[in-house]
Amino acid sequence: MLEQLLIFTRGGLILWTCKELGNALRGSPIDALIRSCLLEERSADASFNYDAPGAAAYTLKWTFHNELGLVFVAVYQRILHLLYVDELLSAVRREFSQIYDPKRTAYDEFDEIFRQLHKEAEARAEEMRKLKQAGKAPPLLGKKQVQSAAQRGAHQGGGKHRSGGNSDSVNDEDDGDSEKRHGLVNNSSNGHQNGIKLRAPSAIKGKENGLPGSGAFDVSKLQKLRAKGAKKNAAGGASKASKEEPKKNVKKNRVWDDSPSESKLDFTDPGDERGDGVLEVVAADQGESMMDKEEIVSSESEDDEGDEFKSAKASVKKKSWFSSMFQSISGNAVLEKSDLQPALKALKDRLMTKNVAEEIAEKLCESIAASLEGKKLGSFTRISSTVQAAMEEALLRILTPKRSVDILRDVHAAKEQGKPYVIVFVGVNGVGKSTNLAKVAYWLLQHNISVMLAACDTFRSGAVEQLRTHARRLQIPIFEKGYEKDPAIVAKEAIQEASRNNSDVVLVDTAGRMQDNEPLMRALSKLINLNNPDLVLFVGEALVGNDAVDQLSKFNQKLADFSATPTARLIDGILLTKFDTIDDKVGAALSMVYISGAPVMFVGCGQSYTDLKKLNVKSIVKTLLK
């Protein structure tokens, strides 16, 4: 049974709800759909599942009318698996668009129309269910019946093309169902009647495999290719011979930021193994953290846009007068999916070259196509520029944080409550958790916040000593219990120690673990459930591509599976490391934010304590679309 059906504008104004259904929905499934799916550019998905408080579980399906800016949403119990919902939504969309007026806010007369559409859809679904239960298949058509059906389908197809945008979607779906029911009908006659569209598999395979009669390989072409390869090899050999043998370079010390070269390369502290020696604060000499500096966006992107505009203008001048006139006249055309495909394909390839995961790029393009399909293209506007503008708006919306990322304010709020603010750093092996934990500690110290480190990486050899070195250089306390201890208990005792010492923040270092390592993921889930930290930061490399999706999705999945509470604690934020090594391959930031919904809170961009930045969303979007 259908629970509810709503029609609202993209601005959030509810135009019509089904009073006949009148079922009170538990929780807020519509709000969850808008927040988690529509605003996150996941509108191309088939459905959205919502688990309401209690035992209720809903499935939501939706469709758009992009030209009018309307959203149609149907809600039903997930256990029912209603098959007629898509058909009903298409019919409601068609009928409501005919009576829609932007100046109106009430549509009481639509109640009777919906009641009729609902009955028709349920009747068709019941008929199909009875046929399925009876196990009766429709009788096979004879050769003459197949011919007449093919001719009738051709006439109907021509009528649909002539009818334009207001075609009957219910009939389309009925035709689709009938095609499925009559799927395997008289293969020989179908092949004969549809000979233009269908080809024999043997003919296709024959062309691919180079069989006789399908275009055999020409021997003369092979000889030409061999001759061409020989010339290339000869030219390459001559060029190599002409080059002189390179001189052997002596290794020099690396110079950072135009600073004078250092003759001393051994910077080992003269303290003993336990680090009890009193040393000066080395980190204090490194200056202000980049987190507190306002980043000035370079004008290179604007210059690039100007160059693109000039080149586009030059190419327009080269075109003939007729083609330019045709482009201007062809404005106000309704965008169809076939029109958008070339521009979306080019945009998907561009995103993938920027290290965006293929799955994410594909979903983004599908969502853009769903949001643009049916809209009218303005005069003197190209499809590619329209698609690019829609993608830029979507990327800005995805990368902009949906929650507060002001950690300093949260720290002061926890301090007023008399408890330390706890941050847990998690991630896979070798991404730089301990190093970036020290950078965050240095940034907090600059804001007069007392910090304590908790060495909960009791698995990797040297992990405690590494964190001890950072604590000694920053002159902050560290809580450690050595190796082979339970990290969850160590973290709990560290938080208790911080409460006794009035420390403002506890930074918990954890062992690196692969997302498929179940024992270590179970131990991490125990640490988070036992201590309930204020912030769980996932530390990930900016170098990863497709693996970013796998890492974050499996981390969240494991934390949810091993959680002891109904409301599982998942990843709250992302810290991207090694951002200074990727040039313009910034796609990992988009992949991680899209798959998890968590914001990028820190960006590591160097080796020193000051090399920690905020993510510049506008700069990332311009780099992705450049």
Side-chain angles (χ1 to χ4, degrees), residues 38 160 166 202 243 262 295 310 316 357 422 429 481 542 558 614:
L38 303 185
K160 286 177 188 175
N166 295 325
S202 59
K243 289 182 180 178
E262 292 280 353
E295 184 176 357
K310 289 177 183 177
V316 168
V422 183
N429 308 77
K481 286 290 185 179
K558 296 293 183 183
K614 297 176 183 177

Side-chain angles (χ1 to χ4, degrees), residues 4-40:
Q4 190 53 272
L5 194 141
L6 298 90
I7 304 174
F8 55 91
T9 65
R10 286 187 179 271
L13 177 64
I14 298 178
L15 299 176
W16 182 84
T17 57
C18 183
K19 302 180 184 65
E20 182 181 333
L21 296 175
N23 296 321
L25 299 177
R26 296 184 181 181
S28 304
I30 305 298
D31 294 343
L33 171 69
I34 295 172
R35 183 175 56 253
S36 303
C37 197
L38 303 185
L39 291 180
E40 293 291 333

Side-chain angles (χ1 to χ4, degrees), residues 217-231:
F217 187 75
D218 194 357
V219 182
S220 61
K221 291 183 181 178
L222 180 61
Q223 293 176 351
K224 289 179 182 178
L225 289 172
R226 286 178 178 173
K228 192 174 181 181
K231 288 180 181 178

